Amino acid sequence: MALILDGNAVSKAVQEGIAREFEKVKPTGRRPGLAVVLVGDNPASVVYVGRKKKACETLGFFSEEHRLPAGTPEGELLGLVRSLNQNPAIHGILVQLPLPGHLNPQKVIETIDPRKDVDGMHPFSLGKLVAGLPGLRSCTPAGVMAMLDHYKIPVGGRRAVVIGRSIMVGKPMAQLLIEANATVTVCHSKTRDIAGVVREAEVVVAAMGKPKFVTTDMVREGAVVVDVGINRTPEGKLVGDVDFDAVAPKASAITPVPGGVGPMTIALLMKNTYQAFLEQKGS
Ligand code: GUN
């Protein structure tokens, strides 16, 4: 049976590390500030935003939530982002995705001051990632790397397969794995024989948003399986992109859903917010 990678425990450990660092600068009286913007009332987004706010409270970071109605015009949202860019109490800005259909997410992301791009999705942050320069990394892929690092699971020289090529997860995930010296293949909806490709992998990261897509016949014995998917079944149960019960006996390590990658995203958001705060100090 596989080692279950406990995202709640590792997320807590990462946040405790941030708390220890923050202790050292607390006497200055300054504190990191995160602004979270939520447009509409997507129930999953409401839950995620609540968790982000709670994590800030626990660490003693300043946070503010901006809830806008689903019909908010784009100009108004961009205006809010620009005012947050100018606000010295705010070091990180996160606009929760997905946005309602009439809003262009790319335009919104590009309006965020790259220094405050704690989501790591601005083209400037993504460019730095590809160039191998230090910068703010997307929280979920960075969370996956932190999880593997915590359990001392090596990726260097290993064959890794990422399923999914989104800007938020798949692409930055592949890039972080390359940076960690893995040999990386990215699969997507147009890939022929996905099962055959995934079977080659010593490390699998499933991030395409299809419930229980990765089945036991697709996974090689002893693979490390990371499940980024969060899907709700018609019965209301949360399941990942991996058929956990079937795949776990074959894997050497696996993340559950919930309690795997999800909590890591929050921890890395806090880490990015702290990093952005340190880098904006005095400016
Ligand atoms: N929606 C789901 N996960 C995320 C995330 O990490 N960042 C943003 N902005 N939206 C999300």
Side-chain angles (χ1 to χ4, degrees), residues 105-160:
Q106 202 53 39
K107 206 162 161 187
V108 177
I109 291 166
E110 287 181 27
T111 303
I112 296 172
D113 180 338
R115 294 178 309 163
K116 301 192 178 187
D117 175 36
V118 286
D119 241 347
M121 282 197 280
H122 191 287
F124 184 79
S125 308
L126 291 168
K128 282 194 155 184
L129 169 64
V130 176
L133 298 169
L136 295 163
R137 307 297 196 222
S138 318
C139 304
T140 301
V144 171
M145 298 309 289
M147 172 98 101
L148 296 174
D149 189 54
H150 180 91
Y151 283 100
K152 305 206 172 359
I153 295 173
V155 295
R158 292 176 110 180
R159 275 169 288 176

Side-chain angles (χ1 to χ4, degrees), residues 48 52 94-98 119 121 139-140 168 265:
Y48 298 149
K52 290 166 184 176
L94 182 144
V95 180
Q96 188 68 24
L97 301 177
D119 241 347
M121 282 197 280
C139 304
T140 301
M168 208 185 324
T265 300

Side-chain angles (χ1 to χ4, degrees), residues 50-271:
R51 287 185 190 151
K52 290 166 184 176
K53 215 167 120 189
K54 172 103 193 305
C56 282
E57 274 164 24
T58 307
L59 280 167
F61 290 5
F62 172 68
S63 77
E64 58 183 35
E65 184 183 330
H66 296 266
R67 275 228 204 177
L68 306 178
T72 300
E74 191 166 80
E76 202 173 302
L77 175 59
L78 298 181
L80 170 63
V81 171
R82 288 192 192 103
S83 77
L84 294 169
N85 284 343
Q86 300 300 324
N87 184 342
I90 296 298
H91 307 95
I93 302 169
L94 182 144
V95 180
Q96 188 68 24
L97 301 177
L99 289 170
H102 67 287
L103 300 169
N104 178 348
Q106 202 53 39
K107 206 162 161 187
V108 177
I109 291 166
E110 287 181 27
T111 303
I112 296 172
D113 180 338
R115 294 178 309 163
K116 301 192 178 187
D117 175 36
V118 286
D119 241 347
M121 282 197 280
H122 191 287
F124 184 79
S125 308
L126 291 168
K128 282 194 155 184
L129 169 64
V130 176
L133 298 169
L136 295 163
R137 307 297 196 222
S138 318
C139 304
T140 301
V144 171
M145 298 309 289
M147 172 98 101
L148 296 174
D149 189 54
H150 180 91
Y151 283 100
K152 305 206 172 359
I153 295 173
V155 295
R158 292 176 110 180
R159 275 169 288 176
V161 170
V162 178
I163 317 173
R165 54 175 162 178
S166 67
I167 291 292
M168 208 185 324
V169 185
K171 283 181 187 168
M173 185 76 250
Q175 209 60 48
L176 286 175
L177 285 163
I178 292 170
E179 215 172 52
N181 299 315
T183 301
V184 183
T185 303
V186 179
C187 293
H188 46 76
S189 54
K190 303 287 187 293
T191 301
R192 272 183 286 118
D193 186 23
I194 285 199
V197 178
V198 176
R199 261 196 300 274
E200 293 289 312
E202 298 165 276
V203 179
V204 180
V205 181
M208 68 299 193
K210 288 204 171 120
K212 298 192 183 184
F213 179 86
V214 177
T215 48
T216 181
D217 57 301
M218 293 171 71
V219 176
R220 119 197 210 141
E221 195 74 45
V224 174
V225 181
V226 178
D227 191 350
V228 179
I230 303 179
N231 312 284
R232 203 170 279 279
T233 65
E235 299 79 43
K237 195 174 166 242
L238 280 185
V239 296
D241 290 351
V242 176
D243 185 355
F244 181 89
D245 293 337
V247 170
K250 211 172 172 187
S252 61
I254 188 166
T255 63
V257 175
V261 174
M264 294 303 300
T265 300
I266 306 276
L268 270 290
L269 173 64
M270 295 302 113
K271 202 163 175 200

